[in-house]
Amino acid sequence: MSVLAALDIDKAYGERVLLAKASLTIDEGERVGVVGRNGAGKSTFAKILAGVEPADGGSIALRRGARVAFLAQEPELDGELSVRKTVELGLEAWAVARKNHEEITARIAGGEATETLLAEQLAASAEVERLGGWDRAHEVERVLGHLGVGDLIERPAGKLSGGQRRRVALAQVLVGQPDVMILDEPTNHLDADTIDWLEKFLAEEFRGAVLFVTHDRWLLDRIADRTIEVERGSVYA
């Protein structure tokens, strides 16, 4: 079953046409690599799929209720927030689901044990499980540690280098457990050990779909179910 589908996407900057009737469907849990020469439109296509840049034409269909998270090549972070608070933003959907379950449970404990409310509690419990389970607070430290910036957890994001910001932004996307993860050059600024951990995380831990723009052929070979190329405005298998 598809989780995201792009149909006949057009995008131009003045006279320069980047995408012309480009289409792509991503299935649940699928890993899709995106390649192409510099300037071909790979990053633009990724941004359009993620909903952070508008297309000139065409349509994007997202499965109802599905969440998309995007890692940009140059992420913008709130410089006033600490690294911890920045990454915790990725857990917002989980925190909302957990709070909803707690509120429903409190109402039931207070005597509102109607069939409707019990059904809502069951649905709320399922949503928490879908978003990663009941105890996820430790994941911020775990993921930051694996990405090599665990020692910066209380530092303001505005004090980070470009490479450190990329790692923190990547951590925010990873902990969020979205239905679709769109990553633009995810291995940039990462050392070999960190890339190895990221490959294992995407291949073994993450249950959603992944689309990643990359020049890293090793990453493609390790985790991509299929690879597409953006060339002359079109998307090819």
Coordinates of all heavy atoms in Angstrom, one line a residue, residues 35-109:
V35 N 19.3 9.5 -6.9 CA 20.6 9.9 -7.4 C 20.3 10.9 -8.6 O 19.2 11.0 -9.1 CB 21.4 8.7 -7.8 CG1 21.7 7.8 -6.7 CG2 20.8 8.0 -9.0
G36 N 21.4 11.5 -9.1 CA 21.4 12.4 -10.2 C 22.5 13.3 -10.1 O 23.2 13.5 -9.1
R37 N 22.8 14.0 -11.2 CA 24.0 14.9 -11.3 C 23.6 16.1 -10.4 O 22.4 16.4 -10.1 CB 24.3 15.3 -12.7 CG 23.1 16.0 -13.4 CD 23.4 16.4 -14.8 NE 22.3 16.9 -15.5 CZ 21.8 18.2 -15.3 NH1 22.5 19.0 -14.5 NH2 20.7 18.6 -16.0
N38 N 24.6 16.9 -10.0 CA 24.4 18.1 -9.3 C 23.6 19.1 -10.1 O 23.8 19.3 -11.3 CB 25.8 18.8 -8.9 CG 26.5 18.0 -7.9 OD1 26.0 17.2 -7.1 ND2 27.8 18.2 -7.9
G39 N 22.6 19.7 -9.5 CA 21.7 20.6 -10.1 C 20.6 20.0 -10.9 O 19.8 20.7 -11.6
A40 N 20.4 18.7 -10.9 CA 19.4 18.0 -11.6 C 18.0 18.2 -11.0 O 17.0 18.0 -11.7 CB 19.7 16.5 -11.7
G41 N 17.9 18.5 -9.8 CA 16.6 18.7 -9.1 C 16.3 17.8 -8.0 O 15.1 17.7 -7.6
K42 N 17.3 17.0 -7.6 CA 17.0 16.0 -6.6 C 16.5 16.6 -5.3 O 15.5 16.1 -4.7 CB 18.4 15.2 -6.3 CG 19.0 14.5 -7.4 CD 20.2 13.7 -7.0 CE 21.3 14.5 -6.3 NZ 21.9 15.6 -7.2
S43 N 17.2 17.6 -4.8 CA 16.8 18.2 -3.5 C 15.5 18.9 -3.6 O 14.7 18.9 -2.7 CB 17.9 19.2 -3.1 OG 19.1 18.6 -2.7
T44 N 15.3 19.6 -4.8 CA 14.0 20.2 -5.0 C 12.8 19.2 -5.0 O 11.8 19.4 -4.4 CB 14.0 21.0 -6.4 OG1 15.0 22.0 -6.3 CG2 12.6 21.6 -6.6
F45 N 13.0 18.1 -5.6 CA 12.0 17.0 -5.6 C 11.8 16.5 -4.2 O 10.6 16.3 -3.8 CB 12.5 15.9 -6.5 CG 11.4 14.9 -6.8 CD1 10.1 15.2 -7.2 CD2 11.7 13.5 -6.8 CE1 9.1 14.3 -7.5 CE2 10.7 12.6 -7.1 CZ 9.4 13.0 -7.4
A46 N 12.8 16.3 -3.4 CA 12.7 15.9 -2.1 C 11.9 16.9 -1.2 O 11.0 16.5 -0.4 CB 14.1 15.7 -1.4
K47 N 12.2 18.2 -1.4 CA 11.5 19.2 -0.7 C 10.0 19.3 -1.0 O 9.1 19.5 -0.2 CB 12.1 20.6 -1.0 CG 13.5 20.8 -0.3 CD 14.1 22.1 -0.8 CE 15.5 22.3 -0.2 NZ 16.1 23.6 -0.7
I48 N 9.7 19.1 -2.3 CA 8.3 19.0 -2.7 C 7.6 17.9 -2.1 O 6.4 18.0 -1.6 CB 8.2 19.0 -4.3 CG1 8.7 20.4 -4.8 CG2 6.8 18.8 -4.7 CD1 8.8 20.4 -6.3
L49 N 8.2 16.7 -2.2 CA 7.6 15.5 -1.6 C 7.4 15.7 -0.1 O 6.4 15.2 0.5 CB 8.5 14.3 -1.8 CG 8.7 13.8 -3.2 CD1 9.7 12.7 -3.3 CD2 7.4 13.3 -3.8
A50 N 8.3 16.4 0.6 CA 8.2 16.6 2.0 C 7.2 17.7 2.4 O 6.8 17.9 3.5 CB 9.5 17.0 2.6
G51 N 6.7 18.5 1.4 CA 5.8 19.6 1.6 C 6.4 20.8 2.1 O 5.7 21.7 2.6
V52 N 7.7 21.0 1.9 CA 8.4 22.2 2.4 C 8.6 23.2 1.3 O 9.0 24.3 1.5 CB 9.7 21.9 3.1 CG1 9.4 21.0 4.3 CG2 10.7 21.3 2.2
E53 N 8.3 22.8 0.0 CA 8.4 23.7 -1.1 C 7.3 23.4 -2.1 O 7.0 22.2 -2.3 CB 9.8 23.5 -1.8 CG 10.0 24.5 -3.0 CD 11.4 24.5 -3.5 OE1 12.3 24.3 -2.7 OE2 11.6 24.7 -4.7
P54 N 6.6 24.4 -2.6 CA 5.5 24.1 -3.5 C 5.9 23.7 -4.9 O 7.0 24.1 -5.3 CB 4.7 25.4 -3.5 CG 5.8 26.5 -3.3 CD 6.8 25.8 -2.3
A55 N 5.1 22.9 -5.5 CA 5.3 22.6 -6.9 C 4.6 23.6 -7.8 O 3.7 24.3 -7.3 CB 4.8 21.2 -7.2
D56 N 5.0 23.8 -9.0 CA 4.3 24.6 -10.0 C 3.0 23.9 -10.5 O 2.1 24.6 -11.0 CB 5.2 25.0 -11.1 CG 6.4 25.9 -10.7 OD1 6.2 26.6 -9.6 OD2 7.4 25.8 -11.3
G57 N 3.1 22.6 -10.5 CA 1.9 21.8 -11.0 C 2.0 20.4 -10.5 O 3.1 20.0 -10.0
G58 N 1.0 19.6 -10.7 CA 0.9 18.3 -10.2 C 0.3 18.2 -8.8 O -0.2 19.1 -8.2
S59 N 0.4 17.0 -8.2 CA -0.2 16.8 -6.9 C 0.6 15.8 -6.1 O 1.3 15.0 -6.6 CB -1.6 16.2 -7.1 OG -1.6 15.0 -7.7
I60 N 0.5 16.0 -4.8 CA 1.0 15.1 -3.8 C -0.1 14.5 -2.9 O -0.9 15.2 -2.4 CB 2.0 15.8 -2.8 CG1 3.2 16.5 -3.6 CG2 2.6 14.8 -1.8 CD1 4.1 15.5 -4.3
A61 N -0.2 13.1 -2.9 CA -1.2 12.5 -2.1 C -0.5 11.7 -0.9 O 0.4 10.9 -1.2 CB -2.0 11.5 -2.9
L62 N -0.9 12.0 0.3 CA -0.3 11.4 1.5 C -1.4 10.5 2.1 O -2.5 11.0 2.3 CB 0.2 12.4 2.4 CG 1.0 12.0 3.6 CD1 2.3 11.3 3.2 CD2 1.3 13.2 4.6
R63 N -1.1 9.3 2.5 CA -2.0 8.5 3.2 C -2.6 9.2 4.4 O -1.9 9.9 5.1 CB -1.4 7.2 3.6 CG -2.3 6.1 4.1 CD -1.6 5.0 4.9 NE -1.1 5.6 6.1 CZ 0.0 5.1 6.8 NH1 0.7 4.0 6.3 NH2 0.4 5.6 7.9
R64 N -3.9 9.1 4.6 CA -4.6 9.8 5.7 C -3.9 9.5 7.1 O -3.7 8.4 7.4 CB -6.0 9.4 5.8 CG -6.8 10.2 6.8 CD -8.3 9.8 6.7 NE -9.1 10.5 7.7 CZ -10.4 10.4 7.9 NH1 -11.1 9.6 7.1 NH2 -11.0 11.2 8.8
G65 N -3.6 10.6 7.8 CA -2.9 10.5 9.1 C -1.4 10.2 9.1 O -0.8 10.2 10.1
A66 N -0.8 10.1 7.9 CA 0.6 9.8 7.8 C 1.4 11.1 8.1 O 1.0 12.2 7.7 CB 1.0 9.2 6.4
R67 N 2.5 10.9 8.7 CA 3.4 12.1 9.0 C 4.7 12.0 8.2 O 5.2 10.9 8.0 CB 3.8 12.1 10.5 CG 2.6 12.4 11.4 CD 3.0 12.3 12.9 NE 3.6 11.1 13.3 CZ 4.9 10.9 13.7 NH1 5.7 12.0 13.7 NH2 5.3 9.8 14.0
V68 N 5.2 13.1 7.8 CA 6.4 13.2 7.0 C 7.4 14.0 7.7 O 7.1 15.1 8.3 CB 6.2 13.8 5.6 CG1 7.5 13.9 4.8 CG2 5.2 12.9 4.8
A69 N 8.7 13.6 7.8 CA 9.7 14.4 8.5 C 10.8 14.6 7.4 O 11.1 13.6 6.7 CB 10.3 13.7 9.7
F70 N 11.4 15.7 7.4 CA 12.4 16.1 6.4 C 13.7 16.6 7.0 O 13.7 17.4 7.9 CB 11.8 17.2 5.5 CG 12.8 17.7 4.4 CD1 13.2 16.9 3.4 CD2 13.1 19.0 4.4 CE1 14.1 17.4 2.4 CE2 14.0 19.5 3.4 CZ 14.5 18.7 2.5
L71 N 14.8 16.1 6.5 CA 16.2 16.6 6.8 C 16.7 17.3 5.6 O 17.0 16.8 4.6 CB 17.1 15.4 7.1 CG 18.6 15.8 7.3 CD1 18.7 16.6 8.7 CD2 19.5 14.6 7.3
A72 N 16.9 18.6 5.8 CA 17.5 19.5 4.8 C 19.0 19.4 4.8 O 19.6 19.1 5.8 CB 17.0 20.9 4.9
Q73 N 19.6 19.8 3.7 CA 21.1 19.8 3.7 C 21.6 20.9 4.6 O 22.6 20.7 5.2 CB 21.6 20.1 2.2 CG 21.5 18.9 1.3 CD 22.4 19.1 0.1 OE1 23.5 19.5 0.2 NE2 21.9 18.7 -1.1
E74 N 20.8 22.0 4.7 CA 21.2 23.1 5.6 C 20.0 23.4 6.5 O 19.3 24.3 6.3 CB 21.6 24.3 4.9 CG 22.9 24.1 4.0 CD 23.3 25.4 3.2 OE1 22.7 26.4 3.5 OE2 24.2 25.3 2.4
P75 N 19.9 22.6 7.6 CA 18.7 22.7 8.4 C 18.7 24.0 9.2 O 19.7 24.5 9.6 CB 18.8 21.5 9.4 CG 20.2 21.2 9.4 CD 20.7 21.5 8.0
E76 N 17.5 24.6 9.4 CA 17.3 25.8 10.2 C 16.8 25.4 11.6 O 15.8 24.8 11.7 CB 16.3 26.7 9.6 CG 16.8 27.2 8.2 CD 15.8 28.2 7.6 OE1 14.8 28.5 8.3 OE2 16.0 28.6 6.4
L77 N 17.6 25.7 12.6 CA 17.2 25.4 14.0 C 17.0 26.6 14.8 O 17.6 27.7 14.5 CB 18.3 24.5 14.7 CG 18.8 23.2 14.0 CD1 19.9 22.6 14.8 CD2 17.6 22.3 13.8
D78 N 16.2 26.6 15.8 CA 16.0 27.7 16.7 C 17.3 27.8 17.6 O 17.5 26.9 18.4 CB 14.8 27.4 17.6 CG 14.4 28.6 18.5 OD1 15.3 29.4 18.8 OD2 13.3 28.7 18.9
G79 N 18.0 28.9 17.4 CA 19.3 29.0 18.1 C 19.2 29.2 19.6 O 20.2 28.9 20.3
E80 N 18.0 29.5 20.1 CA 17.8 29.7 21.5 C 17.5 28.4 22.3 O 17.7 28.3 23.5 CB 16.6 30.7 21.8 CG 16.8 32.0 21.2 CD 18.0 32.7 21.8 OE1 18.2 32.7 23.0 OE2 18.8 33.3 21.0
L81 N 17.1 27.4 21.5 CA 16.7 26.1 22.2 C 18.0 25.3 22.4 O 18.9 25.3 21.5 CB 15.8 25.3 21.3 CG 14.3 25.8 21.2 CD1 13.5 24.9 20.3 CD2 13.7 26.0 22.5
S82 N 18.0 24.5 23.4 CA 19.1 23.6 23.6 C 19.0 22.4 22.6 O 18.0 22.2 22.0 CB 19.1 23.0 25.1 OG 18.0 22.2 25.2
V83 N 20.1 21.7 22.5 CA 20.1 20.5 21.6 C 19.0 19.5 22.1 O 18.3 19.0 21.3 CB 21.5 19.8 21.7 CG1 21.5 18.4 21.0 CG2 22.5 20.7 20.9
R84 N 18.9 19.3 23.4 CA 17.9 18.4 23.9 C 16.5 18.8 23.5 O 15.7 18.0 23.0 CB 18.0 18.4 25.5 CG 16.9 17.4 26.1 CD 16.9 17.6 27.6 NE 18.1 17.3 28.3 CZ 18.5 16.1 28.6 NH1 17.8 15.0 28.3 NH2 19.7 15.9 29.2
K85 N 16.2 20.1 23.7 CA 14.8 20.6 23.4 C 14.6 20.6 21.9 O 13.5 20.3 21.4 CB 14.7 22.1 23.9 CG 14.7 22.2 25.4 CD 13.5 21.5 26.0 CE 13.4 21.7 27.5 NZ 12.2 21.0 28.1
T86 N 15.6 20.8 21.1 CA 15.5 20.7 19.7 C 15.1 19.3 19.2 O 14.2 19.2 18.4 CB 16.8 21.2 19.0 OG1 17.1 22.5 19.4 CG2 16.7 21.1 17.5
V87 N 15.8 18.3 19.7 CA 15.5 17.0 19.3 C 14.2 16.5 19.9 O 13.5 15.8 19.2 CB 16.7 16.0 19.8 CG1 16.4 14.6 19.4 CG2 18.0 16.5 19.1
E88 N 13.8 17.0 21.1 CA 12.5 16.6 21.7 C 11.4 17.1 20.8 O 10.3 16.5 20.9 CB 12.4 17.1 23.1 CG 13.3 16.3 24.1 CD 13.2 16.9 25.5 OE1 12.7 18.1 25.6 OE2 13.6 16.2 26.4
L89 N 11.6 18.1 20.0 CA 10.5 18.5 19.1 C 10.1 17.4 18.1 O 8.9 17.3 17.7 CB 11.0 19.7 18.2 CG 11.2 21.0 19.0 CD1 11.8 22.1 18.0 CD2 9.9 21.5 19.6
G90 N 11.0 16.5 17.9 CA 10.7 15.3 17.0 C 9.7 14.3 17.7 O 9.1 13.5 17.1
L91 N 9.6 14.4 19.0 CA 8.7 13.6 19.8 C 7.3 14.2 20.1 O 6.5 13.7 20.8 CB 9.3 13.2 21.2 CG 10.6 12.3 21.1 CD1 11.2 12.2 22.5 CD2 10.2 10.9 20.6
E92 N 7.0 15.3 19.4 CA 5.8 16.0 19.7 C 4.6 15.2 19.4 O 3.7 15.2 20.3 CB 5.7 17.3 18.8 CG 4.5 18.2 19.1 CD 4.5 19.5 18.3 OE1 5.5 19.7 17.5 OE2 3.6 20.2 18.5
A93 N 4.5 14.5 18.3 CA 3.3 13.7 18.0 C 3.2 12.6 19.1 O 2.0 12.3 19.5 CB 3.5 13.0 16.6
W94 N 4.3 12.0 19.5 CA 4.2 10.9 20.5 C 3.8 11.5 21.9 O 2.9 10.9 22.6 CB 5.6 10.3 20.7 CG 5.7 9.4 21.9 CD1 5.3 8.1 21.9 CD2 6.2 9.7 23.2 NE1 5.5 7.5 23.2 CE2 6.1 8.5 24.0 CE3 6.8 10.8 23.7 CZ2 6.5 8.4 25.3 CZ3 7.2 10.8 25.1 CH2 7.1 9.6 25.8
A95 N 4.3 12.7 22.2 CA 3.9 13.3 23.5 C 2.4 13.7 23.5 O 1.7 13.5 24.5 CB 4.7 14.6 23.7
V96 N 1.9 14.1 22.4 CA 0.4 14.4 22.3 C -0.4 13.2 22.4 O -1.4 13.1 23.2 CB 0.1 15.1 20.9 CG1 -1.4 15.2 20.7 CG2 0.7 16.5 20.9
A97 N 0.0 12.1 21.8 CA -0.7 10.8 21.9 C -0.6 10.3 23.3 O -1.6 9.8 23.8 CB -0.1 9.8 20.9
R98 N 0.5 10.4 24.0 CA 0.7 9.9 25.3 C -0.2 10.7 26.3 O -0.9 10.2 27.2 CB 2.1 10.0 25.8 CG 2.4 9.5 27.2 CD 2.4 8.0 27.3 NE 2.6 7.6 28.7 CZ 3.8 7.3 29.2 NH1 4.9 7.3 28.4 NH2 3.9 6.9 30.4
K99 N -0.2 12.0 26.1 CA -1.1 12.9 26.9 C -2.6 12.6 26.7 O -3.3 12.5 27.7 CB -0.8 14.4 26.6 CG -1.6 15.3 27.5 CD -1.2 16.8 27.2 CE -2.0 17.7 28.1 NZ -1.7 19.1 27.8
N100 N -2.9 12.3 25.5 CA -4.3 12.0 25.2 C -4.8 10.7 25.9 O -5.8 10.7 26.5 CB -4.5 11.9 23.7 CG -5.9 11.6 23.3 OD1 -6.9 12.2 23.8 ND2 -6.1 10.6 22.4
H101 N -3.9 9.7 25.9 CA -4.2 8.5 26.6 C -4.3 8.7 28.1 O -5.2 8.1 28.7 CB -3.1 7.4 26.3 CG -3.4 6.1 26.9 ND1 -2.9 5.8 28.2 CD2 -4.0 5.0 26.5 CE1 -3.3 4.6 28.5 NE2 -4.0 4.1 27.5
E102 N -3.4 9.5 28.6 CA -3.5 9.7 30.1 C -4.7 10.5 30.5 O -5.3 10.1 31.5 CB -2.2 10.6 30.5 CG -0.9 9.8 30.4 CD 0.3 10.6 30.6 OE1 0.1 11.9 30.7 OE2 1.4 10.1 30.7
E103 N -5.2 11.4 29.7 CA -6.4 12.1 30.0 C -7.6 11.2 29.9 O -8.5 11.3 30.7 CB -6.5 13.3 29.0 CG -5.5 14.4 29.3 CD -5.6 15.6 28.3 OE1 -6.3 15.4 27.2 OE2 -5.0 16.6 28.5
I104 N -7.7 10.4 28.9 CA -8.8 9.5 28.8 C -8.8 8.5 29.9 O -9.9 8.2 30.5 CB -8.7 8.7 27.4 CG1 -9.0 9.7 26.3 CG2 -9.8 7.6 27.4 CD1 -8.7 9.1 24.9
T105 N -7.6 8.0 30.3 CA -7.5 7.0 31.4 C -8.0 7.7 32.7 O -8.7 7.0 33.5 CB -6.1 6.5 31.5 OG1 -5.7 5.9 30.3 CG2 -5.9 5.5 32.7
A106 N -7.6 8.9 32.9 CA -8.0 9.6 34.1 C -9.6 9.8 34.2 O -10.2 9.7 35.2 CB -7.4 11.0 34.2
R107 N -10.2 10.1 33.0 CA -11.6 10.2 33.0 C -12.3 8.9 33.3 O -13.3 8.9 34.0 CB -12.1 10.7 31.6 CG -11.7 12.2 31.3 CD -12.0 12.5 29.9 NE -13.4 12.4 29.6 CZ -13.9 12.5 28.3 NH1 -13.0 12.7 27.3 NH2 -15.2 12.4 28.1
I108 N -11.8 7.8 32.8 CA -12.3 6.5 33.1 C -12.2 6.2 34.6 O -13.1 5.7 35.2 CB -11.6 5.4 32.2 CG1 -12.0 5.6 30.8 CG2 -12.0 4.0 32.7 CD1 -11.2 4.7 29.8
A109 N -11.0 6.5 35.1 CA -10.8 6.2 36.6 C -11.7 7.1 37.4 O -12.1 6.7 38.6 CB -9.3 6.6 36.9

